[in-house]
Amino acid sequence: MELNGVAELPEIRPGDDIAALVADRAALEPGDVLTVASTIVSKAEGRTADLEEYPVSGRAQEIADRIEEIAGEEKDPRFAQAIIEESSELLIDCPFLLAETRFGHICPNAGIDRSNVPGHDLLLLPKRPTESAERIRTGLEERGIEDVAVVVTDTCGRPFRHGQTGVAIGWAGMPASRDWRGELDRDGHELGVTVQSVVDELAAAANLVTGEGAGGTPAVVVRDWEFGDHEGSEELFRSVEDDLIRQALREWRFDE
Amino acid sequence: MELNGVAELPEIRPGDDIAALVADRAALEPGDVLTVASTIVSKAEGRTADLEEYPVSGRAQEIADRIEEIAGEEKDPRFAQAIIEESSELLIDCPFLLAETRFGHICPNAGIDRSNVPGHDLLLLPKRPTESAERIRTGLEERGIEDVAVVVTDTCGRPFRHGQTGVAIGWAGMPASRDWRGELDRDGHELGVTVQSVVDELAAAANLVTGEGAGGTPAVVVRDWEFGDHEGSEELFRSVEDDLIRQALREWRFDE
């Protein structure tokens, strides 16, 4: 398996065609996986916003006040409002906001980025990243580049472990997971591992190449990797029913 | 960045020298990262066990009874006992066991594997995987192979997202994380991403190559990847104080 960053992508602007920009710079081959950082997908889709676009609701003001009171941290209530509007549920609302986006991804601040947006206050995640991935894949096909899977990535932290890793938030041209159930190990035993989230592993691998900052390459080509002859699954985000941690969080409130 | 599985490793037995077995089969170079699946590290370290070695405590019996009562699933109380003995804390004890191992890794069943152990009931995780990684690294050095980082990997599920991914449980020759704090993006803004868990990303990437089952390659060589000129951190596992999810779980009990 080989990973290479797509060199010399320009700063992405609203309306830019990511498929075209990548196709001009990388000799994609059938079977490749192209990972694309959500930051540039969002920029191409014009998903920037300004804090003044978010008139503060009672709930947003309450959240900001409580974070300031308990955590001693200033939280702009308009930022809290933006997170609420991008979310279907807040799993934690103090001392930070852990949100489920409308497409099911759970991450701090609904993935809204305050660092990466020249000329604006906020960069929102793509609205429907799997549709974004499909559009990029279709754009490649229109340029004669067939059979390239596309994974839209984010980086976020997680429970239990320090630090952030690359994760997938949208994908096209391949299933999210490999299902190993029923397959056997060397000794003929059924496997302990059941479902392998390959899109997340591809996103994590790509993030090692992407880097951040001035030298970053937000698109990465993965070559000589195969999904292989396994059952696939399209599920990536757990529902509340499937997730004891989410159930526990519903009954819990932070208290300093 | 390039990843290649180490081909034709034999079935690993207690006392086997993993550094020697890998060095004989892969032309390692300075700067490479060698990932090694915990299953073979455990086998080499003789970390197999049988259920009859675990006389059932009151707590283990209680856990097994409650899982059977509430989840309707048969749980061998000796297996519950093994998990208790391998753990420093049970974060969830019903309807499944989520445990913190004595070295800080949080995973179902304290990572004890019931599928991968010819001749025994259980394969425990290595006792101190970072020491295992250091031993392998030293073993390589003794064979004249300098400057190869070693990551011992596990696969496990996680909250919020379906499926399992490769994660690091021990590492040597490199820090666990890159710290990007204070570094700037293309536009001169401070970065939103702060700490990147590169050992987990390397483990995830390697797991795409490792596969499972009969064709699996439990050791993978990562080439042409650099930690780079960043601050590093050795922290990977969150403590309770650093983890709201762990705090929430302490106040929660599963109730069907």
Side-chain angles (χ1 to χ4, degrees):
Chain A
M1 183 169 87
E2 203 185 308
L3 291 92
N4 287 293
V6 176
E8 293 177 25
L9 280 174
E11 177 71 32
I12 303 295
R13 290 168 210 288
D16 277 352
D17 182 338
I18 289 176
L21 291 169
V22 169
D24 286 349
R25 287 165 179 78
L28 289 163
E29 293 175 8
D32 287 350
V33 180
L34 173 68
T35 72
V36 185
S38 58
T39 44
I40 68 168
V41 175
S42 289
K43 285 176 181 175
E45 294 178 359
R47 292 277 288 161
T48 47
D50 290 305
L51 286 168
E52 64 187 25
E53 296 169 41
Y54 295 96
V56 174
S57 66
R59 188 165 180 222
Q61 189 63 56
E62 223 173 84
I63 287 171
D65 290 346
R66 189 152 170 266
I67 290 177
E68 195 165 340
E69 187 193 327
I70 290 192
E73 232 173 85
E74 225 176 300
K75 188 93 185 172
D76 190 321
R78 299 169 301 173
F79 187 44
Q81 182 65 34
I83 296 165
I84 290 170
E85 293 186 21
E86 288 297 309
S87 303
S88 52
E89 183 179 341
L90 294 185
L91 285 76
I92 295 176
D93 62 8
C94 181
F96 70 93
L97 280 82
L98 183 68
E100 181 186 28
T101 67
R102 296 191 182 281
F103 60 87
H105 174 44
I106 291 172
C107 56
N109 297 333
I112 302 175
D113 191 347
R114 299 187 73 169
S115 72
N116 218 329
V117 272
H120 291 279
D121 299 329
L122 308 176
L123 186 64
L124 314 178
L125 286 180
K127 207 165 202 131
R128 295 183 193 85
T130 285
E131 288 179 20
S132 308
E134 282 161 2
R135 266 197 304 278
I136 294 170
R137 183 168 147 89
T138 304
L140 294 173
E141 285 171 352
E142 287 166 2
R143 280 161 191 83
I145 302 167
E146 303 281 340
D147 193 22
V148 169
V150 176
V151 177
V152 175
T153 68
D154 187 22
T155 53
C156 71
R158 58 264 165 88
F160 309 150
R161 307 176 76 83
H162 280 292
Q164 300 183 309
T165 60
V167 294
I169 58 172
W171 58 97
M174 64 179 294
S177 307
R178 272 178 184 159
D179 195 333
W180 295 85
R181 280 172 288 198
E183 299 186 39
L184 303 180
D185 70 13
R186 286 183 186 214
D187 309 301
H189 296 97
E190 199 156 313
L191 292 169
V193 168
T194 51
V195 176
Q196 180 189 7
S197 177
V198 290
V199 287
D200 274 349
E201 292 182 332
L202 287 162
N207 200 43
L208 289 165
V209 174
T210 293
E212 298 283 330
T217 52
V220 173
V221 179
V222 183
R223 184 154 296 166
D224 290 333
W225 177 78
E226 275 182 28
F227 186 85
D229 183 25
H230 308 277
E231 294 290 312
S233 157
E234 289 300 344
E235 279 186 290
L236 182 60
F237 307 118
R238 285 183 192 260
S239 62
V240 181
E241 295 67 38
D242 268 338
D243 193 339
L244 293 184
I245 309 288
R246 292 190 63 175
Q247 293 169 32
L249 286 173
R250 283 200 169 171
E251 297 174 20
W252 178 79
R253 190 179 151 93
F254 180 77
D255 225 342
E256 188 67 341
Chain B
M1 182 169 86
E2 204 186 308
L3 290 92
N4 287 292
V6 176
E8 293 176 26
L9 280 173
E11 176 71 32
I12 303 295
R13 291 169 209 288
D16 277 352
D17 181 339
I18 289 176
L21 292 169
V22 169
D24 286 349
R25 287 164 179 80
L28 289 162
E29 293 175 8
D32 287 349
V33 180
L34 173 68
T35 72
V36 185
S38 59
T39 44
I40 68 168
V41 175
S42 290
K43 285 176 182 175
E45 294 178 358
R47 292 277 289 161
T48 47
D50 291 305
L51 286 168
E52 64 188 25
E53 296 169 43
Y54 295 96
V56 174
S57 65
R59 186 163 182 222
Q61 189 64 55
E62 222 174 84
I63 287 171
D65 290 348
R66 190 152 170 266
I67 290 177
E68 196 163 342
E69 186 192 327
I70 291 191
E73 231 173 85
E74 225 177 299
K75 187 95 186 171
D76 189 322
R78 297 170 303 174
F79 187 44
Q81 182 64 34
I83 296 164
I84 290 170
E85 293 187 19
E86 288 297 310
S87 304
S88 52
E89 182 178 341
L90 294 186
L91 284 77
I92 296 176
D93 62 9
C94 181
F96 70 93
L97 279 81
L98 182 68
E100 181 186 29
T101 67
R102 295 191 182 280
F103 59 88
H105 174 44
I106 291 171
C107 56
N109 298 332
I112 301 174
D113 191 346
R114 298 187 72 168
S115 72
N116 218 331
V117 272
H120 291 278
D121 299 331
L122 308 176
L123 186 64
L124 314 177
L125 286 179
K127 206 164 201 133
R128 294 184 194 85
T130 285
E131 288 179 19
S132 307
E134 282 161 2
R135 265 197 304 278
I136 294 169
R137 183 168 146 88
T138 303
L140 294 173
E141 285 170 351
E142 286 166 2
R143 280 161 190 83
I145 301 168
E146 302 281 340
D147 193 21
V148 170
V150 176
V151 178
V152 174
T153 68
D154 188 22
T155 53
C156 71
R158 58 266 164 92
F160 309 149
R161 307 176 75 84
H162 280 292
Q164 301 184 308
T165 60
V167 294
I169 59 172
W171 58 96
M174 63 180 295
S177 308
R178 272 178 185 158
D179 195 333
W180 295 85
R181 279 172 289 196
E183 299 187 39
L184 304 180
D185 70 13
R186 286 182 186 215
D187 308 301
H189 295 97
E190 200 157 311
L191 292 168
V193 169
T194 51
V195 176
Q196 179 189 7
S197 176
V198 289
V199 287
D200 275 348
E201 292 182 331
L202 287 162
N207 201 43
L208 288 165
V209 174
T210 294
E212 298 284 333
T217 52
V220 174
V221 179
V222 183
R223 185 155 296 167
D224 290 333
W225 178 78
E226 273 183 30
F227 186 85
D229 183 25
H230 307 278
E231 293 290 313
S233 156
E234 289 300 344
E235 278 186 290
L236 181 61
F237 307 117
R238 285 182 193 261
S239 62
V240 181
E241 295 67 37
D242 269 338
D243 192 340
L244 293 185
I245 310 288
R246 292 191 62 174
Q247 293 169 33
L249 286 173
R250 283 199 169 172
E251 295 175 22
W252 179 78
R253 189 178 151 95
F254 180 77
D255 225 342
E256 189 64 344

